Amino acid sequence: MAPRLYLVLTIFSYVLAVFSSPAHNETKRECDNTWKIANAVATKLQTSYFNPVLGYYEGNRLWTDANTIEDIYNLMYFTNVTTWKNLIYQTRIGQLGVTHLNLWDLVFGGSYDDAGWALLMFIRIRDYIGPGDPNFQNFETSTYQVYDYIAQQWSNDCGGGVWWSKAHTYKNTITNALYMHVSAAMYLRHKDKPGYLQNAMQTWNWLAGSGLRDRDNLWFDGLTACQVSDKTKWTYNQGVIASGLGVLYAATGNKTYLTEAEKTIDAAGTNLTAHGILKESCDDAVQSTCNEDQLIFKGIFTKHLQYYMDQAGDAARKKYSWFLTGQSAAVFLLATGLDNFPGSVWYSENKGGSIFTPRSMASGLEAHIAAAKYGYCY
Ligand SMILES: *[C@@H]1O[C@H](CO)[C@@H](O)[C@H](O)[C@H]1NC(C)=O
Ligand SMILES: *[C@@H]1O[C@H](CO)[C@@H](O)[C@H](O)[C@H]1NC(C)=O
Ligand SMILES: *[C@@H]1O[C@H](CO)[C@@H](O)[C@H](O)[C@H]1NC(C)=O
Ligand SMILES: *[C@@H]1O[C@H](CO)[C@@H](O)[C@H](O)[C@H]1NC(C)=O
């Protein structure tokens, strides 16, 4: 039997088994089959699209590269796979983290959201290598430096929030959601520095009153002159809001943050999907209009839903388990073309509109990793 057909049948029989048994058992936490799929996609990505001499993925894009490197470490972090344990040292951004020369403005060029993505990656690397590693302190120093680089962008214009870019004309959801997340994450690792926690709480308070959240609990993209100027509801904004609130809950024990996060996750689950599968507004099975950045958004949503579930406890893990399983199954069954290459359209079979680049590939990989960790297993 072709492996894919076998998988369809096993998913199907599993679904039947679950719905026919009145009290099915707890979610198994690590799904071997899904890990294998994730591993195959990661292998293809690394062998075909990562250039170890130049230190970047085909296309050379800092923020999506940071996400992709983080994905590879996420894959290794929860399994005993060590295939890519030296990847960080082969990347440009990783080498900058080791040398920690504090030239971050040259690196990020005043794109403070890019700095936020890189900081998330540095935090993951730091956790992965652990304090016994000779480079631990170097990455740790980089986390402090990059954090401060972003924190300096807080201003009282529009009542608070960090700027998106050096032009100081746009305050947006992603830069502030990332700032909330990394502030709370830094606090969890440095509890002697309460300023991080204050920044995280202050950022949430600002976001909640900023006008960026619509009545349906989905978040717009950003503000120009303190008015919502981009009303697109991108999936990744919703995901990082949720994960940031999850980490803030972990730092405070205040369950209001979980309630707020789930309003947004639930709204994304009903409103940014087709038949339960994530669909970006630019996705179209026949003719997508997504740009290269947008190709990775849905995967970031799944990655940050996983990060939310890391913090939020068993009830949330159960609640979103099927959702993650569905995304991974759709990526595998509908989105993936030849040679383990996931395309950008997940909600439908490709009718010519799916776009295949290392960004769509990283996005699909993220869906598999999140489902391997918290999905149902088949
Ligand atoms: C689920 O299975 C595990 C081990 O297989 C068992 O210990 C546990 O009691 C079961 N839980 C339920 C709710 O049946
Ligand atoms: C991972 O490796 C550790 C140490 O070698 C071992 O104790 C553990 O059982 C392994 N876990 C898995 C899932 O293979
Ligand atoms: C929990 O967080 C919410 C939202 O920021 C806040 O309104 C509330 O006062 C907090 N509760 C406690 C007990 O600190
Ligand atoms: C999403 O929400 C908007 C506004 O609340 C509504 O107009 C739209 O129909 C919803 N779309 C879906 C697919 O649920």
Side-chain angles (χ1 to χ4, degrees), residues 9-22:
L9 293 175
T10 45
I11 293 176
F12 193 64
S13 56
Y14 188 78
V15 170
L16 282 180
V18 166
F19 283 116
S20 56
S21 73

Side-chain angles (χ1 to χ4, degrees), residues 178-255:
L178 284 166
Y179 184 54
M180 167 170 69
H181 184 127
V182 295
S183 295
M186 292 291 279
Y187 174 71
L188 285 177
R189 287 160 183 78
H190 309 286
K191 291 237 170 100
D192 57 328
K193 298 192 168 82
Y196 288 129
L197 180 58
Q198 280 158 20
N199 290 349
M201 292 194 294
Q202 175 175 252
T203 306
W204 170 248
N205 292 341
W206 178 75
L207 278 163
S210 66
L212 283 164
R213 176 161 57 171
D214 199 2
R215 276 188 299 246
D216 64 6
N217 291 304
L218 293 172
W219 292 75
F220 297 124
D221 196 71
L223 307 169
T224 307
C226 309
Q227 299 296 315
V228 178
S229 55
D230 185 341
K231 295 205 159 185
T232 316
K233 294 169 180 175
W234 300 109
T235 56
Y236 82 146
N237 282 325
Q238 323 308 325
V240 182
I241 287 279
S243 69
L245 286 167
V247 186
L248 195 43
Y249 161 73
T252 58
N254 183 339
K255 292 202 164 160

Side-chain angles (χ1 to χ4, degrees), residues 320-333:
Y320 299 114
S321 180
W322 269 109
F323 179 83
L324 288 178
T325 305
Q327 308 315 306
S328 167
V331 169
F332 187 81
L333 298 170

Side-chain angles (χ1 to χ4, degrees), residues 66-79:
N67 267 282
T68 308
I69 297 160
E70 182 191 13
D71 299 338
I72 298 291
Y73 280 85
N74 272 340
L75 176 61
M76 292 189 291
Y77 196 63
F78 303 112
T79 62

Side-chain angles (χ1 to χ4, degrees), residues 48-328:
S48 307
Y49 301 103
F50 180 67
N51 185 327
V53 177
L54 298 174
Y56 49 71
Y57 292 87
E58 186 180 293
N60 183 19
R61 308 175 78 265
L62 182 62
W63 87 268
T64 52
D65 278 12
N67 267 282
T68 308
I69 297 160
E70 182 191 13
D71 299 338
I72 298 291
Y73 280 85
N74 272 340
L75 176 61
M76 292 189 291
Y77 196 63
F78 303 112
T79 62
N80 280 343
V81 175
T82 53
T83 319
W84 303 287
K85 68 177 162 44
N86 292 322
L87 170 63
I88 190 69
Y89 306 108
Q90 298 172 342
T91 64
R92 267 189 327 149
I93 186 70
Q95 287 159 4
L96 292 163
V98 172
T99 50
H100 61 83
L101 295 173
N102 213 357
L103 299 173
W104 300 110
D105 193 48
L106 280 178
V107 176
F108 299 117
S111 290
Y112 306 109
D113 55 341
D114 288 5
W117 297 115
L119 179 49
L120 271 183
M121 180 205 68
F122 282 141
I123 291 172
R124 169 59 76 215
I125 301 300
R126 167 206 181 275
D127 291 355
Y128 179 84
I129 65 178
D133 189 285
N135 278 308
F136 180 83
Q137 201 53 52
N138 296 331
F139 286 115
E140 183 94 307
T141 302
S142 292
T143 65
Y144 291 131
Q145 293 172 345
V146 177
Y147 184 87
D148 290 345
Y149 178 64
I150 304 167
Q152 283 159 13
Q153 294 306 311
W154 185 273
S155 82
N156 288 327
D157 307 79
C158 315
V162 289
W163 293 107
W164 169 59
S165 79
K166 194 170 267 188
H168 288 188
T169 53
Y170 197 53
K171 283 197 171 176
N172 63 349
T173 300
I174 201 61
T175 314
N176 284 283
L178 284 166
Y179 184 54
M180 167 170 69
H181 184 127
V182 295
S183 295
M186 292 291 279
Y187 174 71
L188 285 177
R189 287 160 183 78
H190 309 286
K191 291 237 170 100
D192 57 328
K193 298 192 168 82
Y196 288 129
L197 180 58
Q198 280 158 20
N199 290 349
M201 292 194 294
Q202 175 175 252
T203 306
W204 170 248
N205 292 341
W206 178 75
L207 278 163
S210 66
L212 283 164
R213 176 161 57 171
D214 199 2
R215 276 188 299 246
D216 64 6
N217 291 304
L218 293 172
W219 292 75
F220 297 124
D221 196 71
L223 307 169
T224 307
C226 309
Q227 299 296 315
V228 178
S229 55
D230 185 341
K231 295 205 159 185
T232 316
K233 294 169 180 175
W234 300 109
T235 56
Y236 82 146
N237 282 325
Q238 323 308 325
V240 182
I241 287 279
S243 69
L245 286 167
V247 186
L248 195 43
Y249 161 73
T252 58
N254 183 339
K255 292 202 164 160
T256 304
Y257 297 126
L258 300 184
T259 310
E260 295 295 333
E262 293 190 19
K263 285 183 197 166
T264 290
I265 298 168
D266 295 346
T270 55
N271 206 304
L272 303 181
T273 54
H275 319 296
I277 304 302
L278 289 167
K279 180 179 184 297
E280 209 65 70
S281 52
C282 58
D283 281 338
D284 189 286
V286 178
Q287 192 167 29
S288 297
T289 54
C290 301
N291 67 26
E292 197 62 53
D293 285 337
Q294 293 153 4
L295 298 181
I296 201 174
F297 286 0
K298 296 190 296 300
I300 290 176
F301 180 89
T302 60
K303 173 163 64 180
H304 283 263
L305 178 53
Q306 179 210 306
Y307 288 162
Y308 175 76
M309 291 158 83
D310 283 341
Q311 307 297 345
D314 275 345
R317 288 175 198 160
K318 265 183 134 149
K319 182 175 172 189
Y320 299 114
S321 180
W322 269 109
F323 179 83
L324 288 178
T325 305
Q327 308 315 306
S328 167

